[in-house]
Amino acid sequence: MSGAPWPPLSPLQTGLHGRCPRCGQGHLFDGFLTLRPSCAACGLDYGFADPADGPAFFVMMFVCIPAVIFGLWLEMAYEPPMWVHFVTTLPLILLSCIPPLRPLKGWLVASQFFYKAEEGRRVTTQDETVVPRPLA
């Protein structure tokens, strides 16, 4: 099964839908953000995947900061009681920050597979094949 040629699938398409980056059929997630050990459809081991804090970073930079700025603006402009923040700002932050985490994590995992990303390693001269260049 693993020797079959797999067509390249878009990381955006498979990742945002939480599908296997190799076959596009199996699911990536066991729970909300927990990755499965492998794909149930094609058997791809998801051990290569390490999105780390990437999804949280993107959510904080592009969604959470504007939501917090809204809360600060509301406080500075109107000085409302605390319950107004609980009714407006808190739901805005929760509803705009939590739902994007799963699609972003799926996209990062699928991108790691698609681009064959791996942990960096130091290259030594023993790892390289040195080919002498001819002199002019």
Side-chain angles (χ1 to χ4, degrees), residues 7-119:
L9 300 174
S10 164
L12 196 62
Q13 182 183 11
T14 56
L16 292 180
H17 291 100
R19 297 293 183 179
C20 173
R22 180 164 68 180
C23 69
Q25 300 299 315
H27 295 281
L28 272 176
F29 298 104
D30 231 352
F32 181 63
L33 289 175
T34 306
L35 285 176
R36 291 177 182 251
S38 63
C39 176
C42 70
L44 175 65
D45 180 20
Y46 295 145
F48 69 88
D50 183 22
D53 293 333
F57 172 79
F58 287 121
V59 167
M60 283 189 308
M61 293 300 107
F62 298 112
V63 180
C64 190
I65 288 178
V68 170
I69 289 173
F70 167 76
L72 292 173
W73 170 80
L74 183 66
E75 180 63 32
M76 300 295 261
Y78 299 105
E79 296 180 14
M82 188 58 72
W83 68 266
V84 173
H85 285 290
F86 285 125
V87 173
T88 59
T89 309
L90 182 63
L92 175 67
I93 290 174
L94 293 176
L95 292 174
S96 62
C97 292
I98 294 175
L101 287 174
R102 184 177 169 136
L104 281 172
K105 185 171 185 174
W107 170 65
L108 288 173
V109 168
S111 293
Q112 286 177 339
F113 177 80
F114 186 81
Y115 294 108
K116 297 172 181 49
E118 58 184 28
E119 187 174 337

